[in-house]
Amino acid sequence: MKQQENLRLGICWILFSAFGFAVMGLCVRLAGEIPFVQKTLFRNMIAFFIAFSTLCAKAKNDRSVLAVPRDAWKFLILRSAVGSLGIFGNFYALGHMNISDAAMLNKMSPFFAVAASIFVLKEKPGTVSIVSLLIVFSGSLFVIKPSFDFEKVFPAIFAFVGGMGAGLASCFVRKLHLYNVCADFIIAFFSLFSILIALPFVFFCYTPMSFSQVMILLGAGIGAACGQFGMTNAYFNAPAAKISVYDYSNVLFAGILGFIFLGQIPDAFSIAGYIIIIGTAFFVFAYNCRKLEK
């Protein structure tokens, strides 16, 4: 009974997380013609403040949360580097293409994580994982719609790279857990790393913002914080194998918000890509659940 209650709670938290990230995407687009690196600065500053505050509170009772083994630092830096790549790619795409398309390409990250785990975690993917990777990549082409019109395809490539960065980052997070590195320390370090990368660009290429744009970007940061908070609580209450597929509701939320506030409607090719990618995710999810029950 307790397990079922935790599962329902996990699903509610991951839906909350998906909505938070969808709100973030909408706010990034509504912020208007501001450099995408400047937009990421707001998101990362809020994330750093929350993670650092939580880390300090934990450190008062347990100093071990600040400990990072020497061998783990390289993975911490790599996680921060590819995570920054993921955020920059996603934020650029959100400002230049349909936000549900950008969300869909970003949600390819679990499949990139499987590919990266071969080299980082020395895990051998099964036939189902390999085939699913190939199918998902073909589905992404429907969303990207490769062509010689670089003005249209360039943002999609950035979104694709953003999903790749997020997938690699999650793989390095799993590696860091093997070294017992505190999750709040990982988030705080990554956020600070991204801030330091963005600061020089913002310093030299700062674009003045109106009060409404500042408020919208603060909304993006709060949405991202809610997304991160919801994700953490979701996986605390239930195993990833049973709830991760619900994270794809982010695409649905992004589509609804994009239609209401931006008048965006995905085209037939994008919808076909959604069906292929989400359908594959559901199949892998069901397959993994069956394996766990045996």
Side-chain angles (χ1 to χ4, degrees):
M1 189 71 178
K2 179 68 174 176
Q3 191 175 8
Q4 287 295 322
E5 184 179 337
N6 286 345
L7 179 60
R8 285 194 293 269
L9 195 59
I11 293 171
C12 289
W13 275 119
I14 205 164
L15 290 174
F16 174 77
S17 169
F19 183 73
F21 282 125
V23 170
M24 179 202 76
L26 174 66
C27 289
V28 168
R29 184 58 175 264
L30 289 175
E33 297 299 321
I34 300 171
F36 70 96
V37 178
Q38 190 169 321
K39 293 177 181 179
T40 64
L41 188 62
F42 279 80
R43 184 251 191 245
N44 290 323
M45 286 174 66
I46 293 174
F48 174 75
F49 175 76
I50 294 172
F52 185 72
S53 300
T54 306
L55 186 65
C56 289
K58 288 182 178 179
K60 287 182 180 179
N61 301 317
D62 182 10
R63 301 288 293 181
S64 67
V65 298
L66 301 176
V68 179
R70 181 180 296 179
D71 291 342
W73 277 103
K74 60 183 177 183
F75 297 111
L76 188 61
I77 293 171
L78 284 169
R79 182 264 179 269
S80 300
V82 296
S84 298
L85 178 68
I87 287 180
F88 292 147
N90 188 34
F91 270 51
Y92 179 87
L94 286 168
H96 295 84
M97 66 185 296
N98 189 311
I99 61 172
S100 60
D101 284 0
M104 186 73 265
L105 292 173
N106 191 256
K107 290 305 171 188
M108 291 180 61
S109 57
F111 298 96
F112 286 119
V114 170
S117 67
I118 300 172
F119 307 100
V120 178
L121 302 170
K122 309 302 180 184
E123 295 176 349
K124 293 183 179 180
T127 304
V128 170
S129 296
I130 294 172
V131 172
S132 68
L133 281 170
L134 295 174
I135 295 173
V136 163
F137 179 75
S138 67
S140 72
L141 295 179
F142 281 87
V143 183
I144 296 173
K145 295 180 277 291
S147 71
F148 291 105
D149 187 350
F150 291 105
E151 187 177 343
K152 291 183 178 180
V153 78
F154 200 60
I157 293 173
F158 260 79
F160 186 83
V161 171
M164 184 186 300
L168 292 171
S170 64
C171 186
F172 284 120
V173 167
R174 287 171 59 197
K175 184 72 173 180
L176 288 165
H177 280 316
L178 297 177
Y179 287 96
N180 295 316
V181 180
C182 176
D184 290 305
F185 189 94
I186 296 171
I187 296 171
F189 184 90
F190 153 63
S191 301
L192 181 60
F193 185 94
S194 297
I195 288 170
L196 293 176
I197 290 177
L199 273 177
F201 178 89
V202 175
F203 181 78
F204 289 106
C205 305
Y206 178 77
T207 297
M209 297 181 292
S210 66
F211 177 77
S212 62
Q213 286 177 314
V214 172
M215 290 296 101
I216 289 170
L217 286 179
L218 286 175
I222 293 170
C226 290
Q228 191 68 57
F229 180 79
M231 187 72 70
T232 301
N233 280 278
Y235 290 125
F236 178 81
N237 282 281
K242 292 190 176 182
I243 64 173
S244 59
V245 73
Y246 293 99
D247 191 33
Y248 282 88
S249 61
N250 170 250
V251 181
L252 175 62
F253 291 136
I256 293 171
L257 292 175
F259 175 74
I260 294 173
F261 293 98
L262 302 170
Q264 295 179 343
I265 302 175
D267 61 23
F269 283 103
S270 290
I271 292 172
Y274 296 177
I275 293 170
I276 292 171
I277 296 171
I278 296 176
T280 304
F282 267 96
F283 173 78
V284 173
F285 168 74
Y287 176 80
N288 289 334
C289 284
R290 270 195 234 103
K291 284 182 67 178
L292 288 172
E293 289 172 359
K294 289 181 179 178

